[in-house]
Every structure is written in C-alpha cells, then in structure tokens.
Amino acid sequence: MLDSQTADVLRQAVGAAQSGDVARARQLAEGALESGGDTAALNAFLGMLQARAGDLAAAADHLRAAHGARPADTTIACNLIAVLIDNDDLERALEIATPELARADATLRVARYRGFVAQSLERFDEAVTAYEHVVAREPQDFESWNNLGNARSATGDLEGSVAALEKAMALNPYAPPTRLNLAVALRTVDRGEEAEALLRRTAEEFPDDARALHELYVQYKKEGRQDDAMPAIEAAIARDPDNANLQLKFGVECGLLSRIDEAEQAFRKVIALDPSVTDAYIGLAVQYEHSNREEELAPLIALAEANGLGDGALAFIRALEFRRAKMFEEALANFDRVPPEIEPERTSHFRGQVLDRLGRIDEAFAAFSKTNGLHEMSPTRPLERASVLRERLQSELDLLSPEWVESWPGAASGRDHADPVFLLGFPRSGTTLLDTILMGHPGTMVLEEQPPLNLVDRRIGGMAEIQGLDDAGVADARRFYFDEIAKVAPAPLSPDRMLIDKSPLFLSKAVLIQRLFPNARFILALRHPCDVLLSCFMSNFRLNDAMANFLRLEDAAAFYDLTFQHWERARELFGLNVHTIVYERLVEDVEAEVRPLFDFLGLEWRDEALDHRTTAKSRGLITTASYAQVVEPIYKRAAGRWEGYRQHLEPVLPVLRPWVEKFGYSL
C-alpha cells in the first residue's frame, strides 16, 4: 500500500503525463522523492517516464533503485529488464531475471525474459531451463515452444529441438518463422526430405515471403544440388529484390554459372543497397579477375575506398591488381594483410601462386596444402564424393572387355548431325589453350566444359547401361545430346562449323562417345604426368566429384591412374581416331604442333588462330583454372615445374611412373 502523499502525487503526475506535460509529471515525482515519498513507486514511475523519453540510462538508474527497494515486484523487475535489453546491457538484465524471481512470477514474464536474454548471450542451457519452465505452466505458448526448440538446438539436443518446434507449429501452423526453424532443425537430424517439403509448402502458402525460398536454396547448396539451388535463389530474389543478402548470393551463383553480366549487376545492386557489404566488392573483384578485366580493379578499389571498405578487403583487391601486374612482392604483402575471414581459400591459393612465382617453393606448397585443407572441410563432403567416383571408375574398368562390347546390339544407322570432335585430356594438360586456338578459326564452334554429354550419361543410367542401347536408344541419346547442345551453344549448329566439345575428363567417357558417335575424332592433350598432377593440386577448382580428387596428392594420383586406364582400355577396344597434342612441344612451337592438328580436322590453316590472346580476351569469363594464363604470351615456365616440388611428389611417383614411361617422359 502506498502512503497517501505518494498516492496523491502519482495521481497528479500520471494526469500530467497523460495530458502531455511530461516535464510537470517528472517534477512532481522528483519532488515527492525529495520529500521522502515511496522510493519504489516513485522511481518506478520516473523510470518509465525516462524510458518513454528515450533516456535509457536515466530510466535504468530509476528502475534499479525501484527494484532495490522492492526486489520481489515482478512488474518493476520486468520494466528494468526491458530497459536494460533496449540499452544492450544483457548481462545486467540476466542478473535481474534470476531463476528464483522467474519461478516466483506467476505471470511467467520474468521466465520469458530470462530465456530470451540467456539465449542472446549464448547461455543456451540457462535459456532451455527458462523456456521449459514456461511451457510446463503454459503449454499453449507457441512462441516459447519455438524459442525452446532453437535453444535446444544450440545445446546439441537436436531431437529435442525438433520435438519443441513441431509442438510450436502444431499450436500455430501459420507462423512462417516457426516453419523455417523447424525445417532447419529437421535437416540437422537427417530428415531433409521433410524439411524440403515443409519449405516448399511454406513458399506456396506465403507467396510474398522470400525466406522459405532462401532456406530451400541453403538446403540445396548443403546437399550439393546446384541445379536446384539457382532456381530457388532466383525465386527468392523475385519476391524480395531489395534484399542485399539475397542479391549477394544470387551474384555468387551467377558467377558459378558464368552469367557474368547478371553477377556484376547483382553485386553492384548489393553495394547500392548497403555499401558496407564487403563480399560484394570481393565478388566483383573475383569476376574481373576471372574474366581477365584487370583494368576494372582500379575503379573498384576507388569505389571501395570512397565507401569506407575495411583495410582487409582492400588489401585483397589490391593484391589481385599487383598480381596481374606481375608485382609479386607487393601482391604477397597485400595478401598477407587479408584477415582470415575474407575469402580464406582464395587468399591462400593466390598466396601460393605468388610464392611459386617468387621461387619460394616450400612456402608455396604449404599455401596450396592449406587451401585444399580448407576445401576438405566443405559440408558437401568432397573427399567422400571423390572416393565414390574412383570406385565407380574401377567398377567400369572391371566391365570393359571384348566380350562385353561384343554383346552390344548392332550399331545405329542414320545420323541427324555430323559426329562432334571431342577435345580431352587430364585437367591442366593445355586443353584451355588448345580450345582457345581452335576458337580462333571461323570454321569451328567450341564448347568449353558444358554438360550435354554428362546429361546423356545420366539419362541412360551410366556406362553399364550402354550394353542395352539398341538403334532406337542410340538415336534417342544422340537427339537428346544435340538438343542440349543447342541450349548452350553460342550459335545455332551448322554444317559449316565443326562442333568441338571440350572437357578434359571426357577421358572416361570415350566408351559412351564411341557408342553414340562412331565417327567421332578425338584430340588428346598430353603433358608430363607429374606436372599435371602438381598443377591440379595447385589449382583452386570448383569441387565437383572429379575435382575433389585433387585435394590430396594420393587421391589425385589414383584418379589419374584410373582415368588413363579407362582411356587406354577404350582405345584398345575401339581403335579410336585420336590426334595427340603434346604440351611441352606446344609451348615450344605452337604452329608446328597445331598445323598437323588442323590437317587432322580438315580445317584450312588460318594464321589468326595463333593469336590466342585476342581470342581469349573476347571470350568473357573463362571457367577453367587456366583463365589467367590464356591471355598471356605462351610461356614455358610450367613445363618441368614439378622438379622443383619433387620432394613433395615423392610419395606418388610409384603410381605415376608407368604413365611417365608410357608417354615418353622421364623421372
């Protein structure tokens, strides 16, 4: 009970505040305090006045005094907690919301506050206890069930998290945040199909909300479902085009798919929406680097400086500019200033390249090893996927025999298009330089690492199913291949232009190629196996199942061995029509090595085809690891590079030795 004087003053002060005279209300309450009025009531009133006026520090002082005078008053305690939260003083807020006060509060407000503050401070065990107290006494509180689910997830109680979130959704099935939290929780307990179904349903039922589509995108990326990820982020962008986070991810995906104009537009939009987003500048820098537009780096640096970008991100972009200018010491100094949270894989990889150019071999190898170690930690399980691919290649080798080939139905008759030429070779064998030279001839249409043949392989069910392809099956597979080619070709297919389908690892697709295209010609790019393997280890590939084999030298050597066994077995069985280009001869005398290739293909000689730098500059984004080299003059420094790294390659030389000798090289 209040004394009569305090009660009378508070009536007057409340009336003054309600009429808008806050100064009079504060004056009355402060006067009553000086006259010995009720400390708790008057400070509580003054605290709320100051909070509404925006003076959170003064509000906290008054409410703290009120709480000290009346510690069991949950209304005062909750008001103080709210002010401390608004003032970002979470530690003191949790000190007020004690477990004892939470248990004594029949309204459960203190317990809810305690759960929220503990969760914000990442004291998740305390948050779980608080929320469990709430839902035990008010089981219909879906928000507390939702918060309990999130807190349990953070403590590692994944099944408990799902149970709480399922309860929250049952209580309120129309709350999108709860659905999203449940979907994330379902993924953590390997219930991905249920998570996907929930997110799809949420996206349909809340057509203006982009969050479910974003979570679908996240799920597809985690599962390595790139073909599904892009449509999901595109749909999210359509719903929320001014969301900088969505635009950033869209830009990244466009970059992966070589949609360079869209990638640049997305990154530019992110900067317009929020100039502080570091990754947008980094994304633009990487696009310029990969598309050989180094002249764009200086304006980007100027923009970043004008927008106050941090020194670490600026150091990354400057390092790229110095590297392209062959100022390697300056590039290294800048890469060393890039903090670990900014593009750690790329930074480590670029450092390795610069150290290699400076002749600091052991440091370079350590940097490349660090890059690959970071990639190994990818949630897409690259080492596991690489192992599965090697096992598949081995099983296909076990199948390849004359008897198996003789069991095939007769060859198909009738052809809708001329059989393509296939440019192949183990990665880093010079295929990008070769395809650039071939692109310089007007009588060719070169496709660089496009999916049609792999889509055919998937469509028929893999190499083991080739045996079942009759004439109709072959005709259907050819038709499908050319339909897919038409989707990605830079121009319509024409009898006047030779289709050259380039992908290094078609080495293990020669059996399929021969079945579909019995008149196909092959260009094999060959390079010293040790140089190839080292270059693959030193490259920052996108980690599909094949490229994941290059994270460890022992895996790379096993993959090389299996791949060439596959190729050589196909050559033995089918007598493939092959022209070999030797990398070491190519870099010594391009014309001498390429003229016989043009004769093999029936192409008229064109001197302009040798101007590979002009051709490369006109290509836009080059998607292979050779993007920088193909715009340089032909150089010989990569030939024999492996000898400098010999001590690091020693463990895999026994695997490579037979191939070194077979291809006419030496160790």
Side-chain angles (χ1 to χ4, degrees):
M1 293 291 294
L2 294 177
D3 63 87
S4 58
Q5 180 183 355
T6 300
D8 182 57
V9 168
L10 284 175
R11 277 194 296 272
Q12 295 179 56
V14 168
Q18 289 175 340
S19 67
D21 192 351
V22 176
R24 172 64 176 161
R26 186 167 59 247
Q27 183 183 37
L28 287 167
E30 289 173 347
L33 263 180
E34 292 176 4
S35 300
D38 190 297
T39 300
L42 291 166
N43 273 298
F45 176 75
L46 284 167
M48 296 314 298
L49 279 184
Q50 297 286 22
R52 289 171 184 168
D55 189 346
L56 297 180
D61 288 341
H62 282 296
L63 288 166
R64 198 175 287 110
H67 177 66
R70 200 178 297 168
D73 188 313
T74 56
T75 298
I76 292 174
C78 287
N79 289 338
L80 174 56
I81 293 166
V83 166
L84 291 170
I85 291 171
D86 288 343
N87 205 28
D88 201 27
D89 193 352
L90 300 181
E91 291 286 357
R92 285 195 172 89
L94 193 62
E95 291 173 4
I96 302 301
T98 63
E100 295 76 19
L101 189 60
R103 288 192 294 268
D105 176 22
T107 71
L108 301 175
R109 287 186 300 159
V110 175
R112 291 189 181 96
Y113 271 130
R114 180 171 176 78
F116 170 78
V117 175
Q119 195 165 356
S120 300
L121 291 169
E122 298 185 0
R123 293 163 64 167
F124 298 112
D125 288 329
E126 295 172 71
V128 167
T129 301
Y131 287 131
E132 286 179 343
H133 175 80
V134 173
V135 299
R137 287 153 184 78
E138 195 168 323
Q140 302 304 305
D141 182 354
F142 88 91
E143 290 180 335
S144 291
W145 280 110
N146 175 80
N147 296 340
L148 174 60
N150 292 338
R152 282 178 173 171
S153 176
T155 67
D157 180 8
L158 304 181
E159 294 292 348
S161 170
V162 170
L165 290 164
E166 286 178 330
K167 178 69 173 177
M169 186 169 164
L171 290 169
N172 185 354
Y174 303 108
T178 299
R179 290 179 172 217
L180 300 181
N181 291 335
L182 176 56
V184 172
L186 288 169
R187 285 205 299 264
T188 65
V189 294
D190 296 323
R191 291 164 63 181
E193 290 183 3
E194 293 175 71
E196 181 179 356
L198 176 58
L199 290 170
R200 285 187 174 279
R201 192 165 69 248
T202 302
E204 291 170 2
E205 294 175 3
F206 297 88
D208 297 326
D209 195 326
R211 289 174 295 177
L213 291 165
H214 173 249
E215 280 300 331
L216 272 173
Y217 161 79
V218 171
Q219 177 163 342
Y220 294 146
K221 291 292 287 184
K222 287 181 180 293
E223 295 174 354
R225 295 164 60 183
Q226 185 63 36
D227 291 343
D228 295 318
M230 188 58 168
I233 197 67
E234 285 180 309
I237 284 284
R239 294 185 181 187
D240 191 1
D242 292 331
N243 185 308
N245 180 50
L246 295 180
Q247 287 287 354
L248 180 67
K249 291 176 178 175
F250 178 63
V252 170
E253 296 305 319
C254 287
L256 292 174
L257 294 174
S258 305
R259 291 160 55 173
I260 51 177
D261 290 341
E262 292 173 273
E264 182 171 355
Q265 289 170 11
F267 291 135
R268 292 283 181 187
K269 182 157 189 175
V270 174
I271 293 171
L273 290 167
D274 185 351
S276 69
V277 178
T278 296
D279 286 344
Y281 301 89
I282 299 296
L284 281 172
V286 169
Q287 288 298 304
Y288 297 149
E289 163 72 14
H290 277 253
S291 55
N292 296 304
R293 295 162 60 191
E294 58 268 24
E295 69 278 1
E296 302 279 3
L297 291 172
L300 178 62
I301 291 169
L303 175 65
E305 289 174 334
N307 287 339
L309 195 68
D311 290 340
L314 280 167
F316 179 87
I317 304 172
R318 289 190 183 113
L320 295 184
E321 187 177 39
F322 283 127
R323 173 176 166 271
R324 278 305 184 111
K326 296 182 171 54
M327 299 169 66
F328 298 118
E329 292 287 0
E330 293 85 349
L332 182 61
N334 275 276
F335 280 131
D336 287 343
R337 286 197 285 271
V338 179
E341 65 271 13
I342 293 179
E343 293 290 330
E345 294 91 349
R346 278 198 175 93
T347 299
S348 180
H349 175 250
F350 284 136
R351 282 191 78 255
Q353 290 183 328
V354 170
L355 287 163
D356 176 77
R357 293 298 300 273
L358 291 170
R360 294 160 62 174
I361 299 301
D362 291 339
E363 292 173 84
F365 189 83
F368 293 127
S369 298
K370 178 181 177 181
T371 303
N372 292 350
L374 291 169
H375 281 311
E376 285 180 24
M377 296 186 289
S378 165
T380 63
R381 306 185 302 279
L383 295 182
E384 179 183 326
R385 291 188 286 111
S387 177
V388 169
L389 176 57
R390 294 195 302 274
E391 290 171 3
R392 180 172 66 76
L393 289 175
Q394 184 60 63
S395 68
E396 291 178 355
L397 276 170
D398 295 340
L399 191 63
L400 279 172
S401 68
E403 294 76 19
W404 182 66
V405 174
E406 289 169 5
S407 72
W408 294 1
S413 58
R415 296 286 176 252
D416 40 2
H417 295 278
D419 287 355
V421 174
F422 290 90
L423 170 55
L424 40 74
F426 207 75
R428 311 299 292 143
S429 295
T431 55
T432 300
L433 174 58
L434 264 179
D435 78 35
T436 304
I437 291 170
L438 289 165
M439 284 179 187
H441 194 290
T444 67
M445 181 165 64
V446 182
L447 298 185
E448 184 186 48
E449 300 186 29
Q450 294 295 333
L453 189 67
N454 290 325
L455 294 175
V456 172
D457 187 47
R458 188 185 309 169
R459 179 183 174 92
I460 68 173
M463 197 189 82
E465 301 304 317
I466 293 175
Q467 183 182 27
L469 286 179
D470 57 12
D471 282 3
V474 169
D476 178 72
R478 283 178 61 95
R479 184 167 50 251
F480 178 77
Y481 171 83
F482 285 112
D483 286 346
E484 292 299 316
I485 287 288
K487 296 177 183 178
V488 297
L493 293 174
S494 165
D496 299 327
R497 299 185 71 185
M498 178 183 297
L499 174 61
I500 301 176
D501 193 348
K502 172 253 180 162
S503 187
L505 290 173
F506 282 173
L507 283 165
S508 61
K509 294 287 190 293
V511 177
L512 173 62
I513 292 170
Q514 181 66 23
R515 181 58 172 157
L516 301 185
F517 310 108
N519 297 315
R521 287 168 291 177
F522 295 85
I523 306 168
L524 173 65
L526 202 61
R527 184 183 178 190
H528 195 300
C530 294
D531 271 330
V532 165
L533 210 68
L534 176 64
S535 188
C536 286
F537 181 78
M538 293 166 61
S539 295
N540 193 23
F541 291 115
R542 295 172 188 161
L543 291 183
N544 59 29
D545 296 351
M547 301 302 111
N549 281 277
F550 303 137
L551 297 180
R552 302 190 302 194
L553 284 173
E554 61 269 29
D555 292 348
F559 186 51
Y560 185 97
D561 181 51
L562 285 167
T563 301
F564 268 104
Q565 283 191 60
H566 215 292
W567 167 252
E568 290 296 328
R569 189 78 57 84
R571 292 192 74 168
E572 292 170 9
L573 289 171
F574 301 107
L576 304 177
N577 188 8
V578 181
H579 183 89
T580 300
I581 294 288
V582 177
Y583 176 83
E584 290 79 5
R585 294 201 302 257
L586 180 67
V587 298
E588 282 290 341
D589 189 336
V590 178
E591 182 174 347
E593 188 71 3
V594 170
R595 267 189 180 272
L597 171 62
F598 278 40
D599 293 339
F600 170 74
L601 297 175
L603 292 172
E604 178 186 358
W605 179 253
R606 296 285 189 118
D607 288 335
E608 60 265 31
L610 297 181
D611 186 8
H612 72 283
R613 299 175 69 190
T614 299
T615 304
K617 280 284 189 180
S618 68
R619 289 175 62 176
L621 185 70
I622 297 173
T623 59
T624 73
S626 307
Y627 62 87
Q629 289 95 327
V630 295
V631 297
E632 293 185 355
I634 300 292
Y635 62 88
K636 304 173 187 177
R637 66 175 182 270
R641 173 191 278 161
W642 76 273
E643 294 179 10
Y645 291 84
R646 185 182 187 110
Q647 64 172 328
H648 300 291
L649 292 172
E650 285 287 352
V652 299
L653 292 184
V655 178
L656 297 180
R657 183 179 297 275
W659 298 108
V660 170
E661 295 172 353
K662 178 178 178 61
F663 297 145
Y665 295 102
S666 66
L667 292 178

